[in-house]
């Protein structure tokens, strides 16, 4: 039982940090620009596919650098020639634009790489055992993911809160006219922020692609839970996204590992429930079966009792 608990916690932290890597870009875009980008997970998918294609020629380490830069450049072009034109029509138009963009990116990926998953695996340099505990090996690549995620959080936090660039970006959202009067190009600032956010999503795709299945549906598999993380942690709060990612990752991973049911638990203390009917069906549902819905249950409860999220300052 201790082995299951320890490795479930390790895998939960790993999954949570991967969620943070993906949600941090979305949090950055929303906190700086007020845009909720429905296509964010699609840039995550592009990062994985670009890294796969580049790594077949140059190897993983070059792909780790080039893929986020390429996707970030695509994000900047989308903001400059698409989102900027839509922005003046309000948030609904922005949501519809990014929603349609997500489907467009998926279809482009299918046309280029097909619907079959590509062979994007763990790089050979990191394909070894980092440590062994209870007779079970913990891969070095998973430790590498944890390291990159922590470095990303520290770099983002310091950039936003401790640098002049971060102050300009935050001021451009709340007082764009004042920032423009000081000589700064506000539209260019927003373009850089959007490009940076999509590059962060792509970096998560480069890192997460080898341990996930790199296929066209990966964006829509992870997209909903990313919005759960952002809303649960607090819209626009980087610290909230970090805490929410870890919390959701650990809770969902632990739930998968627990094969407990209400009927089995009560039977262990001498209480027997009917085996037939509605009550019998409910009593046989295990914790692991509820794991997929737990993040959304947490989201609903958070919206009911604290709409701003864990550390958020916005209600919408």
């Amino acid at each position: 039982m201790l082995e299951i608990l320890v490795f479930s916690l390790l895998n939960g932290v790993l999954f949570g940090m991967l969620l943070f890597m993906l949600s941090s870009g979305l949090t950055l875009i929303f906190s700086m620009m007020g845009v909720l980008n429905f296509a964010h997970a699609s840039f995550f998918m592009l990062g994985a596919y670009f890294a796969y294609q580049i790594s077949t020629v140059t190897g993983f380490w070059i792909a780790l650098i080039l893929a986020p830069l390429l996707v970030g450049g695509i994000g900047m072009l989308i903001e400059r020639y698409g989102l900027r034109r839509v922005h003046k029509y309000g948030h609904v138009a922005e949501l519809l634009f990014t929603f349609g963009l997500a489907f467009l990116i998926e279809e482009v990926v299918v046309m280029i790489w097909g619907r079959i998953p590509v062979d994007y695996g763990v790089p050979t340099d990191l394909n070894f055992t980092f440590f062994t505990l209870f007779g079970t090996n913990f891969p070095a690549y998973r430790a590498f993911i944890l390291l990159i995620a922590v470095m990303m959080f520290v770099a983002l936090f310091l950039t936003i809160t401790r640098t002049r660039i971060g102050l300009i970006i935050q001021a451009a959202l709340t007082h764009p006219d004042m920032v423009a009067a000081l000589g700064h190009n506000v539209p260019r600032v927003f373009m850089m922020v959007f490009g940076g956010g999509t590059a962060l999503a792509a970096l998560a795709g480069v890192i997460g692609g080898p341990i996930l299945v790199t296929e066209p549906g990966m964006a829509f598999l992870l997209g909903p839970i990313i919005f759960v993380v952002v809303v649960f942690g607090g819209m626009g709060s980087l610290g909230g996204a970090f805490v929410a990612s870890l919390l959701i990752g650990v809770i969902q991973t632990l739930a998968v590992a627990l094969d407990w049911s209400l009927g089995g638990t009560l039977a262990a203390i001498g209480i027997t429930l009917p085996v037939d009917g509605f009550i019998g069906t409910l009593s046989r549902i295990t914790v692991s079966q509820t794991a997929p819905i737990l993040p959304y249950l947490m989201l609903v409860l958070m919206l009911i009792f604290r709409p701003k999220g864990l550390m958020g300052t916005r209600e919408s």
Side-chain angles (χ1 to χ4, degrees):
M1 183 61 190
L2 181 60
E3 177 184 354
I4 295 175
L5 179 61
V6 170
F7 276 93
S8 294
L9 285 173
L10 284 174
N11 290 328
V13 171
L14 174 70
F15 181 50
M17 295 304 282
L18 188 59
L19 290 178
F20 170 72
M21 291 180 68
L22 181 51
S23 63
S24 60
L26 182 61
T27 301
L28 178 66
I29 291 172
F30 182 82
S31 62
M32 299 298 105
M33 300 176 61
V35 176
L36 195 57
N37 180 17
F38 268 98
H40 191 73
S42 299
F43 294 106
F44 164 80
M45 176 178 64
L46 277 183
Y49 272 99
F50 280 16
Y52 157 74
Q53 197 65 55
I54 295 171
S55 64
T56 59
V57 179
T58 64
F60 173 78
W61 299 107
I62 301 298
L64 180 64
I65 299 173
L66 287 183
L69 292 177
L70 290 174
V71 175
I74 293 174
M76 292 172 64
L77 291 175
I78 289 174
E79 194 284 332
R80 173 63 181 85
Y81 297 103
L83 193 59
R84 187 179 302 181
R85 297 170 184 257
V86 175
H87 179 72
K88 59 184 177 182
Y89 298 108
H91 293 303
V92 174
E94 291 174 344
L95 291 176
L96 292 175
F97 175 81
T98 58
F99 186 73
L101 182 63
F103 286 96
L104 177 62
I105 292 175
E106 181 185 6
E107 291 303 318
V108 170
V109 167
V110 170
M111 284 191 294
I112 297 175
W113 287 283
R115 297 190 179 277
I116 300 175
V118 297
D119 186 20
Y120 181 33
V122 174
T124 55
D125 294 342
L126 294 171
N127 193 14
F128 61 92
T129 300
F130 188 64
F131 65 84
T132 301
L133 188 63
F134 300 113
T136 302
N137 298 329
F138 189 79
Y141 188 74
R142 300 196 171 202
F144 175 71
I145 293 176
L146 294 176
L147 176 63
I148 294 296
V150 171
M151 292 173 59
M152 176 189 290
F153 173 72
V154 173
L156 280 176
F157 182 79
L158 293 178
T159 299
I160 293 173
T161 61
R162 297 290 188 271
T163 66
R164 185 169 180 268
I165 295 175
L167 294 176
I168 293 173
I169 291 173
Q170 293 184 73
L173 174 62
T174 55
H175 301 90
D177 295 334
M178 183 65 70
V179 173
L182 292 174
H184 299 288
N185 189 327
V186 174
R188 181 179 297 173
V189 170
F190 284 169
M191 182 177 69
M192 297 295 292
V193 168
F194 193 85
T198 55
L200 290 176
L203 177 60
V206 176
I207 299 296
I211 64 172
L212 301 173
V213 179
T214 303
E215 49 93 19
M218 65 189 303
F220 287 96
L221 288 175
L222 287 176
I225 199 170
I226 298 308
F227 283 97
V228 172
V229 169
V230 172
V231 176
F232 189 88
M235 299 293 281
S237 171
L238 190 64
F242 183 78
V243 174
S245 298
L246 287 177
L247 188 62
I248 291 174
V250 170
I251 289 177
Q252 192 168 25
T253 306
L254 282 175
V256 170
L258 297 177
D259 196 25
W260 298 343
S261 66
L262 177 62
T265 303
L266 293 178
I269 59 176
I271 301 176
T272 304
L273 294 177
V275 296
D276 298 324
F278 181 70
I279 295 178
T281 301
L282 288 180
S283 68
R284 291 192 296 271
I285 297 176
T286 62
V287 176
S288 59
Q289 289 176 297
T290 66
I293 68 171
L294 287 180
Y296 306 103
L297 175 62
M298 294 168 62
L299 172 65
V300 171
L301 293 176
M302 179 60 73
L303 290 175
I304 292 174
F305 296 106
R306 185 177 170 81
K308 294 181 180 180
L310 287 176
M311 302 181 183
T313 57
R314 298 169 179 238
E315 294 192 6
S316 62

Short mmCIF file of all heavy atoms in Angstrom, two decimals, residues 1-46:
data_model
loop_
_atom_site.label_atom_id
_atom_site.label_comp_id
_atom_site.label_asym_id
_atom_site.label_seq_id
_atom_site.Cartn_x
_atom_site.Cartn_y
_atom_site.Cartn_z
N MET A 1 0.83 -1.20 0.00
CA MET A 1 0.00 0.00 0.00
C MET A 1 0.87 1.27 0.00
O MET A 1 0.57 2.25 -0.66
CB MET A 1 -0.91 0.00 1.23
CG MET A 1 -1.88 1.17 1.29
SD MET A 1 -2.99 1.15 -0.14
CE MET A 1 -3.77 2.74 0.03
N LEU A 2 1.98 1.22 0.78
CA LEU A 2 2.87 2.37 0.82
C LEU A 2 3.49 2.64 -0.54
O LEU A 2 3.64 3.80 -0.96
CB LEU A 2 3.97 2.13 1.86
CG LEU A 2 4.99 3.26 2.04
CD1 LEU A 2 4.29 4.54 2.47
CD2 LEU A 2 6.06 2.86 3.03
N GLU A 3 3.84 1.56 -1.27
CA GLU A 3 4.40 1.72 -2.61
C GLU A 3 3.41 2.40 -3.54
O GLU A 3 3.76 3.32 -4.30
CB GLU A 3 4.80 0.35 -3.17
CG GLU A 3 5.34 0.41 -4.59
CD GLU A 3 5.62 -0.98 -5.14
OE1 GLU A 3 5.51 -1.97 -4.39
OE2 GLU A 3 5.95 -1.07 -6.35
N ILE A 4 2.16 1.96 -3.48
CA ILE A 4 1.12 2.56 -4.32
C ILE A 4 0.94 4.03 -3.99
O ILE A 4 0.83 4.88 -4.88
CB ILE A 4 -0.21 1.79 -4.16
CG1 ILE A 4 -0.07 0.37 -4.68
CG2 ILE A 4 -1.34 2.52 -4.89
CD1 ILE A 4 -1.30 -0.49 -4.46
N LEU A 5 0.94 4.34 -2.69
CA LEU A 5 0.74 5.73 -2.27
C LEU A 5 1.89 6.62 -2.73
O LEU A 5 1.67 7.71 -3.27
CB LEU A 5 0.61 5.78 -0.74
CG LEU A 5 0.42 7.17 -0.13
CD1 LEU A 5 -0.86 7.81 -0.63
CD2 LEU A 5 0.42 7.08 1.40
N VAL A 6 3.13 6.16 -2.53
CA VAL A 6 4.30 6.97 -2.89
C VAL A 6 4.35 7.24 -4.38
O VAL A 6 4.53 8.39 -4.82
CB VAL A 6 5.60 6.28 -2.41
CG1 VAL A 6 6.82 6.98 -3.00
CG2 VAL A 6 5.67 6.27 -0.90
N PHE A 7 4.18 6.21 -5.19
CA PHE A 7 4.28 6.40 -6.64
C PHE A 7 3.05 7.10 -7.21
O PHE A 7 3.15 7.79 -8.23
CB PHE A 7 4.52 5.05 -7.34
CG PHE A 7 5.97 4.65 -7.35
CD1 PHE A 7 6.48 3.86 -6.34
CD2 PHE A 7 6.82 5.11 -8.33
CE1 PHE A 7 7.83 3.51 -6.33
CE2 PHE A 7 8.16 4.76 -8.34
CZ PHE A 7 8.68 3.96 -7.33
N SER A 8 1.92 6.95 -6.55
CA SER A 8 0.74 7.72 -6.97
C SER A 8 0.97 9.21 -6.72
O SER A 8 0.61 10.06 -7.55
CB SER A 8 -0.51 7.24 -6.23
OG SER A 8 -0.84 5.93 -6.61
N LEU A 9 1.61 9.53 -5.59
CA LEU A 9 1.93 10.92 -5.31
C LEU A 9 2.95 11.47 -6.30
O LEU A 9 2.80 12.60 -6.81
CB LEU A 9 2.46 11.05 -3.88
CG LEU A 9 1.44 10.96 -2.75
CD1 LEU A 9 2.13 10.94 -1.40
CD2 LEU A 9 0.44 12.10 -2.83
N LEU A 10 3.97 10.68 -6.61
CA LEU A 10 4.98 11.11 -7.57
C LEU A 10 4.35 11.34 -8.95
O LEU A 10 4.61 12.37 -9.60
CB LEU A 10 6.09 10.07 -7.67
CG LEU A 10 7.10 10.03 -6.52
CD1 LEU A 10 8.05 8.85 -6.69
CD2 LEU A 10 7.89 11.33 -6.44
N ASN A 11 3.54 10.38 -9.38
CA ASN A 11 2.89 10.53 -10.68
C ASN A 11 1.86 11.65 -10.67
O ASN A 11 1.66 12.33 -11.68
CB ASN A 11 2.22 9.21 -11.08
CG ASN A 11 3.22 8.13 -11.42
OD1 ASN A 11 4.30 8.41 -11.94
ND2 ASN A 11 2.89 6.88 -11.13
N GLY A 12 1.22 11.87 -9.51
CA GLY A 12 0.28 12.97 -9.40
C GLY A 12 0.96 14.32 -9.51
O GLY A 12 0.47 15.23 -10.18
N VAL A 13 2.11 14.45 -8.85
CA VAL A 13 2.89 15.69 -8.96
C VAL A 13 3.37 15.89 -10.40
O VAL A 13 3.33 17.00 -10.93
CB VAL A 13 4.08 15.66 -7.99
CG1 VAL A 13 5.02 16.83 -8.25
CG2 VAL A 13 3.59 15.69 -6.55
N LEU A 14 3.80 14.80 -11.03
CA LEU A 14 4.25 14.89 -12.43
C LEU A 14 3.12 15.36 -13.34
O LEU A 14 3.29 16.27 -14.15
CB LEU A 14 4.75 13.52 -12.89
CG LEU A 14 5.13 13.41 -14.37
CD1 LEU A 14 6.38 14.20 -14.67
CD2 LEU A 14 5.31 11.96 -14.77
N PHE A 15 1.94 14.74 -13.19
CA PHE A 15 0.79 15.13 -14.00
C PHE A 15 0.38 16.56 -13.71
O PHE A 15 0.06 17.34 -14.61
CB PHE A 15 -0.38 14.17 -13.73
CG PHE A 15 -1.61 14.45 -14.53
CD1 PHE A 15 -1.55 14.61 -15.90
CD2 PHE A 15 -2.85 14.56 -13.91
CE1 PHE A 15 -2.69 14.86 -16.66
CE2 PHE A 15 -3.99 14.81 -14.64
CZ PHE A 15 -3.91 14.97 -16.03
N GLY A 16 0.43 16.94 -12.42
CA GLY A 16 0.09 18.30 -12.06
C GLY A 16 1.04 19.32 -12.65
O GLY A 16 0.62 20.38 -13.13
N MET A 17 2.34 19.01 -12.65
CA MET A 17 3.31 19.94 -13.23
C MET A 17 3.15 20.05 -14.74
O MET A 17 3.36 21.11 -15.32
CB MET A 17 4.73 19.49 -12.88
CG MET A 17 5.04 19.54 -11.39
SD MET A 17 4.77 21.17 -10.66
CE MET A 17 6.24 22.04 -11.19
N LEU A 18 2.77 18.94 -15.37
CA LEU A 18 2.51 18.99 -16.81
C LEU A 18 1.28 19.85 -17.09
O LEU A 18 1.27 20.63 -18.06
CB LEU A 18 2.30 17.57 -17.35
CG LEU A 18 2.20 17.42 -18.87
CD1 LEU A 18 3.47 17.93 -19.54
CD2 LEU A 18 1.95 15.97 -19.25
N LEU A 19 0.26 19.73 -16.24
CA LEU A 19 -0.92 20.60 -16.37
C LEU A 19 -0.53 22.06 -16.18
O LEU A 19 -1.04 22.94 -16.89
CB LEU A 19 -1.98 20.21 -15.35
CG LEU A 19 -2.71 18.88 -15.56
CD1 LEU A 19 -3.70 18.64 -14.43
CD2 LEU A 19 -3.44 18.86 -16.90
N PHE A 20 0.37 22.32 -15.23
CA PHE A 20 0.78 23.70 -15.02
C PHE A 20 1.53 24.25 -16.23
O PHE A 20 1.35 25.40 -16.62
CB PHE A 20 1.66 23.82 -13.78
CG PHE A 20 2.31 25.17 -13.66
CD1 PHE A 20 1.56 26.28 -13.32
CD2 PHE A 20 3.66 25.33 -13.92
CE1 PHE A 20 2.14 27.53 -13.23
CE2 PHE A 20 4.26 26.57 -13.83
CZ PHE A 20 3.50 27.69 -13.49
N MET A 21 2.41 23.42 -16.81
CA MET A 21 3.15 23.87 -17.98
C MET A 21 2.19 24.28 -19.10
O MET A 21 2.45 25.25 -19.82
CB MET A 21 4.08 22.76 -18.46
CG MET A 21 5.23 22.48 -17.54
SD MET A 21 6.30 21.17 -18.16
CE MET A 21 7.01 21.99 -19.58
N LEU A 22 1.11 23.55 -19.23
CA LEU A 22 0.15 23.86 -20.27
C LEU A 22 -0.74 25.03 -19.89
O LEU A 22 -1.05 25.89 -20.73
CB LEU A 22 -0.71 22.61 -20.57
CG LEU A 22 -1.77 22.70 -21.66
CD1 LEU A 22 -1.17 23.26 -22.95
CD2 LEU A 22 -2.37 21.34 -21.91
N SER A 23 -1.14 25.10 -18.63
CA SER A 23 -2.07 26.16 -18.20
C SER A 23 -1.38 27.50 -17.98
O SER A 23 -2.04 28.54 -17.98
CB SER A 23 -2.80 25.73 -16.92
OG SER A 23 -1.88 25.57 -15.86
N SER A 24 -0.06 27.49 -17.77
CA SER A 24 0.64 28.75 -17.48
C SER A 24 0.54 29.73 -18.65
O SER A 24 0.36 30.94 -18.44
CB SER A 24 2.11 28.47 -17.15
OG SER A 24 2.77 27.85 -18.25
N GLY A 25 0.64 29.21 -19.87
CA GLY A 25 0.52 30.09 -21.03
C GLY A 25 -0.86 30.70 -21.15
O GLY A 25 -1.02 31.89 -21.46
N LEU A 26 -1.89 29.89 -20.88
CA LEU A 26 -3.26 30.38 -20.92
C LEU A 26 -3.48 31.41 -19.83
O LEU A 26 -4.15 32.43 -20.04
CB LEU A 26 -4.23 29.21 -20.77
CG LEU A 26 -5.73 29.55 -20.84
CD1 LEU A 26 -6.08 30.16 -22.18
CD2 LEU A 26 -6.56 28.29 -20.59
N THR A 27 -2.93 31.16 -18.64
CA THR A 27 -3.04 32.11 -17.54
C THR A 27 -2.34 33.42 -17.88
O THR A 27 -2.86 34.51 -17.58
CB THR A 27 -2.42 31.50 -16.26
OG1 THR A 27 -3.09 30.30 -15.93
CG2 THR A 27 -2.53 32.48 -15.10
N LEU A 28 -1.18 33.32 -18.51
CA LEU A 28 -0.44 34.52 -18.90
C LEU A 28 -1.24 35.36 -19.88
O LEU A 28 -1.36 36.58 -19.72
CB LEU A 28 0.91 34.12 -19.52
CG LEU A 28 1.79 35.26 -20.03
CD1 LEU A 28 2.26 36.12 -18.88
CD2 LEU A 28 2.98 34.70 -20.81
N ILE A 29 -1.81 34.70 -20.89
CA ILE A 29 -2.58 35.43 -21.90
C ILE A 29 -3.80 36.10 -21.28
O ILE A 29 -4.11 37.26 -21.56
CB ILE A 29 -3.00 34.47 -23.04
CG1 ILE A 29 -1.77 34.05 -23.84
CG2 ILE A 29 -4.02 35.13 -23.96
CD1 ILE A 29 -2.05 32.96 -24.86
N PHE A 30 -4.49 35.38 -20.41
CA PHE A 30 -5.69 35.95 -19.81
C PHE A 30 -5.35 37.08 -18.85
O PHE A 30 -5.99 38.13 -18.84
CB PHE A 30 -6.50 34.88 -19.09
CG PHE A 30 -7.78 35.43 -18.50
CD1 PHE A 30 -8.91 35.58 -19.28
CD2 PHE A 30 -7.84 35.80 -17.17
CE1 PHE A 30 -10.08 36.10 -18.75
CE2 PHE A 30 -9.00 36.33 -16.62
CZ PHE A 30 -10.12 36.47 -17.42
N SER A 31 -4.32 36.88 -18.01
CA SER A 31 -3.99 37.89 -17.01
C SER A 31 -3.46 39.17 -17.66
O SER A 31 -3.70 40.26 -17.15
CB SER A 31 -2.96 37.34 -16.02
OG SER A 31 -1.75 37.02 -16.68
N MET A 32 -2.77 39.04 -18.79
CA MET A 32 -2.20 40.21 -19.44
C MET A 32 -3.15 40.85 -20.46
O MET A 32 -3.15 42.06 -20.64
CB MET A 32 -0.90 39.83 -20.14
CG MET A 32 0.20 39.30 -19.24
SD MET A 32 0.77 40.47 -18.00
CE MET A 32 0.00 39.78 -16.52
N MET A 33 -3.95 40.02 -21.15
CA MET A 33 -4.75 40.52 -22.26
C MET A 33 -6.26 40.42 -22.04
O MET A 33 -7.03 41.04 -22.76
CB MET A 33 -4.40 39.75 -23.55
CG MET A 33 -2.95 39.87 -23.97
SD MET A 33 -2.57 38.86 -25.41
CE MET A 33 -3.68 39.57 -26.63
N GLY A 34 -6.68 39.60 -21.06
CA GLY A 34 -8.10 39.40 -20.84
C GLY A 34 -8.75 38.52 -21.89
O GLY A 34 -9.97 38.53 -22.05
N VAL A 35 -7.95 37.71 -22.60
CA VAL A 35 -8.45 36.84 -23.67
C VAL A 35 -8.41 35.40 -23.18
O VAL A 35 -7.35 34.90 -22.79
CB VAL A 35 -7.60 36.98 -24.95
CG1 VAL A 35 -8.08 35.98 -26.01
CG2 VAL A 35 -7.70 38.40 -25.49
N LEU A 36 -9.56 34.72 -23.20
CA LEU A 36 -9.62 33.31 -22.85
C LEU A 36 -9.50 32.51 -24.14
O LEU A 36 -10.45 32.40 -24.92
CB LEU A 36 -10.94 33.00 -22.14
CG LEU A 36 -11.03 31.66 -21.39
CD1 LEU A 36 -9.92 31.55 -20.36
CD2 LEU A 36 -12.38 31.52 -20.72
N ASN A 37 -8.33 31.95 -24.37
CA ASN A 37 -7.98 31.33 -25.65
C ASN A 37 -8.40 29.86 -25.69
O ASN A 37 -7.75 29.00 -25.11
CB ASN A 37 -6.47 31.46 -25.87
CG ASN A 37 -6.02 30.85 -27.17
OD1 ASN A 37 -6.84 30.60 -28.07
ND2 ASN A 37 -4.73 30.59 -27.30
N PHE A 38 -9.50 29.57 -26.40
CA PHE A 38 -9.99 28.20 -26.49
C PHE A 38 -9.06 27.32 -27.33
O PHE A 38 -9.14 26.10 -27.25
CB PHE A 38 -11.41 28.17 -27.10
CG PHE A 38 -12.50 28.21 -26.07
CD1 PHE A 38 -13.13 29.40 -25.76
CD2 PHE A 38 -12.89 27.06 -25.42
CE1 PHE A 38 -14.13 29.44 -24.80
CE2 PHE A 38 -13.89 27.09 -24.47
CZ PHE A 38 -14.51 28.28 -24.16
N ALA A 39 -8.21 27.91 -28.14
CA ALA A 39 -7.30 27.14 -28.99
C ALA A 39 -5.97 26.88 -28.31
O ALA A 39 -5.05 26.38 -28.95
CB ALA A 39 -7.08 27.88 -30.31
N HIS A 40 -5.86 27.17 -27.03
CA HIS A 40 -4.56 27.06 -26.35
C HIS A 40 -4.02 25.63 -26.40
O HIS A 40 -2.83 25.42 -26.66
CB HIS A 40 -4.69 27.52 -24.91
CG HIS A 40 -3.38 27.70 -24.21
ND1 HIS A 40 -2.52 28.75 -24.48
CD2 HIS A 40 -2.75 26.95 -23.28
CE1 HIS A 40 -1.44 28.64 -23.75
NE2 HIS A 40 -1.54 27.56 -23.00
N ALA A 41 -4.87 24.64 -26.15
CA ALA A 41 -4.42 23.25 -26.18
C ALA A 41 -3.99 22.83 -27.58
O ALA A 41 -3.19 21.90 -27.73
CB ALA A 41 -5.52 22.32 -25.67
N SER A 42 -4.50 23.51 -28.60
CA SER A 42 -4.09 23.20 -29.97
C SER A 42 -2.65 23.60 -30.21
O SER A 42 -1.93 22.94 -30.98
CB SER A 42 -5.01 23.90 -30.97
OG SER A 42 -6.35 23.47 -30.81
N PHE A 43 -2.19 24.68 -29.58
CA PHE A 43 -0.78 25.06 -29.68
C PHE A 43 0.09 24.07 -28.93
O PHE A 43 1.24 23.84 -29.31
CB PHE A 43 -0.59 26.48 -29.15
CG PHE A 43 -1.26 27.54 -29.98
CD1 PHE A 43 -2.42 28.17 -29.55
CD2 PHE A 43 -0.74 27.89 -31.21
CE1 PHE A 43 -3.04 29.14 -30.32
CE2 PHE A 43 -1.35 28.86 -32.00
CZ PHE A 43 -2.50 29.48 -31.55
N PHE A 44 -0.43 23.49 -27.86
CA PHE A 44 0.25 22.40 -27.17
C PHE A 44 0.46 21.23 -28.13
O PHE A 44 1.55 20.65 -28.20
CB PHE A 44 -0.61 21.98 -25.97
CG PHE A 44 -0.26 20.64 -25.38
CD1 PHE A 44 0.83 20.51 -24.52
CD2 PHE A 44 -1.02 19.53 -25.67
CE1 PHE A 44 1.14 19.27 -23.97
CE2 PHE A 44 -0.72 18.29 -25.11
CZ PHE A 44 0.37 18.16 -24.27
N MET A 45 -0.58 20.89 -28.88
CA MET A 45 -0.48 19.80 -29.85
C MET A 45 0.51 20.15 -30.96
O MET A 45 1.32 19.30 -31.37
CB MET A 45 -1.86 19.52 -30.46
CG MET A 45 -1.88 18.46 -31.56
SD MET A 45 -3.54 18.16 -32.18
CE MET A 45 -3.93 19.77 -32.90
N LEU A 46 0.49 21.38 -31.44
CA LEU A 46 1.44 21.80 -32.47
C LEU A 46 2.88 21.68 -31.97
O LEU A 46 3.77 21.27 -32.72
CB LEU A 46 1.17 23.25 -32.88
CG LEU A 46 0.07 23.51 -33.90
CD1 LEU A 46 0.00 24.99 -34.22
CD2 LEU A 46 0.30 22.70 -35.17
#
